[in-house]
Amino acid sequence: MSFSSRALRIHVPATSANLGPGFDTLGLALAYGDELTVVTREEPGAHVTVQGVGAGEIETDETNLVVRSAAYVFERLGRVLPGLEIEANNRIPHGRGMGSSGSAIVAGVMIAAGLLASDPDDPLELTEDQLLAYATDLEGHPDNVAPALFGGLTIAWTNEDGPRFKRLLVHRGVAPLVLVPTFTMSTQHARSLQPEHVPHEDAVFNLSRSALLIAALTQSPELLLEATEDRLHQSYRGEAMPATRDLVRALRAAGHPAVVSGAGPSILVLSNGPAERLAASDLVGEIAPEWRVLTLAIDIKGATVEEIPVDSAFSSRV
């Protein structure tokens, strides 16, 4: 690729995976995300300026996950990644089950897609299947990267041709609430707590609830409490995050469809309407005031990339 300075702006939403019974399959994009501004430069390598979440903690050179993800796509396509100057404005909490690593990977994939599409010498448009495949290669499973890429509610699976997804529109009555604690949880540790085998009746239970959850989220939100029941993963992880376990139990006992968000420790409440969401928020304020409450919408766009003028890319810098 011949060098020509270009600038992009990327937005990637947070996500919540599993949604209770849909382990490693269902994911939801949330209107709360990270924004990155990217400018190509003649010098090789990368420099990342981080504002917000992760500032002073995450890598700021080519070892940064966003940069590594962009480089992976270029390498797979036999292209050379240009030098990058990146400004990341991060809002997604890290280590809290809101898809921060998947969103970083998607950001890198979208940077690559934007640069390849705008290459003046040899433009290349990546397909949705390619975007999902590259992101899944890096993340290991598609349940978080699919909603981050495409928005809405996604069902993700893998066949002999690679990862696949189906995007669905969520019923307008569904009102998400995300509860974020001060402590973190390693996804790897959370996954290690699950047994290799589960009882047959538990597998059947989750199959029925997963099917019901699709109906509840797209057509009948009044069924969300029963549809979000789970026997495959949440109980096994509960001992590692007792505060999350206890708050989920308290919310569900009060009639609120609360589940562990991703691997935790955040909690997702899929309320049936704003009034029920407000009641759930008030309950959390009474029994767990130390938890941060995020009243969110569902992101229907997914990740976006736009080309912007180079001279205005970092105009917000002081």
Side-chain angles (χ1 to χ4, degrees):
M1 177 184 293
S2 63
F3 176 77
S4 177
S5 187
R6 287 163 288 152
L8 304 172
R9 183 155 291 135
I10 313 290
H11 177 82
V12 185
T15 60
S16 183
N18 302 328
L19 312 184
F23 182 67
D24 276 5
T25 301
L26 300 182
L28 188 67
L30 302 169
Y32 192 83
D34 296 343
E35 185 172 275
L36 300 91
T37 303
V38 183
V39 174
T40 59
R41 62 183 191 183
E42 201 160 4
E43 301 83 4
H47 177 261
V48 184
T49 301
V50 180
Q51 300 178 355
V53 177
E57 300 173 1
I58 62 177
E59 297 85 353
T60 58
D61 57 13
E62 57 269 18
T63 63
N64 181 280
L65 181 56
V66 172
V67 180
R68 288 191 284 119
S69 301
Y72 175 80
V73 176
F74 269 73
E75 181 181 357
R76 285 289 305 271
L77 293 169
R79 304 282 189 105
V80 177
L81 182 69
L84 300 177
E85 183 76 21
I86 300 175
E87 184 178 273
N89 292 282
N90 294 343
R91 299 177 71 199
I92 304 173
H94 292 177
R96 299 224 178 28
M98 293 181 67
S100 60
S101 64
S103 295
I105 287 169
V106 167
V109 171
M110 295 303 291
I111 288 171
L115 293 176
L116 290 165
S118 63
D119 182 356
D121 297 324
D122 188 13
L124 175 64
E125 293 281 348
L126 298 184
T127 67
E128 289 186 341
D129 285 345
Q130 286 177 302
L131 295 173
L132 182 61
Y134 295 142
T136 302
D137 285 348
L138 292 157
E139 175 74 349
H141 41 89
D143 57 329
N144 263 319
V145 295
L149 280 166
F150 308 117
L153 168 67
T154 57
I155 307 170
W157 71 97
T158 303
N159 62 24
E160 62 276 8
D161 296 320
R164 294 291 182 266
F165 80 99
K166 174 63 178 179
R167 179 181 179 274
L168 301 173
L169 293 177
V170 177
H171 191 284
R172 63 182 180 180
V174 177
L177 186 72
V178 178
L179 313 174
V180 185
T182 57
F183 57 93
T184 62
M185 181 72 176
S186 162
T187 300
Q188 184 177 3
H189 177 59
R191 296 182 75 88
S192 73
L193 299 174
Q194 294 176 234
E196 293 185 7
H197 304 282
V198 296
H200 178 269
E201 63 181 24
D202 288 350
V204 174
F205 181 93
N206 266 61
L207 284 171
S208 68
R209 295 309 188 274
S210 295
L212 181 62
L213 182 55
I214 297 299
L217 285 170
T218 60
Q219 298 178 354
S220 307
E222 71 275 6
L223 298 174
L224 280 167
L225 181 61
E226 190 170 7
T228 50
E229 293 177 317
D230 162 70
R231 292 184 183 176
L232 281 189
H233 66 103
Q234 294 182 126
S235 61
Y236 298 111
R237 297 171 171 179
E239 292 301 319
M241 41 185 175
T244 296
R245 175 199 61 200
D246 294 346
L247 186 52
V248 167
R249 288 175 177 174
L251 284 162
R252 295 190 68 85
H256 300 291
V259 298
V260 177
S261 180
S266 292
I267 294 170
L268 173 70
V269 185
L270 292 167
S271 300
N272 180 15
E276 288 192 10
R277 177 167 63 182
L278 180 59
S281 178
D282 289 344
L283 178 60
V284 174
E286 294 173 6
I287 65 177
E290 69 278 12
W291 287 64
R292 183 184 178 195
V293 177
L294 299 176
T295 302
L296 303 178
I298 294 169
D299 182 286
I300 61 173
K301 293 183 179 180
T304 60
V305 55
E306 62 173 326
E307 191 165 6
I308 60 175
V310 173
D311 56 3
S312 65
F314 299 128
S315 59
S316 61
R317 289 184 178 177
V318 178

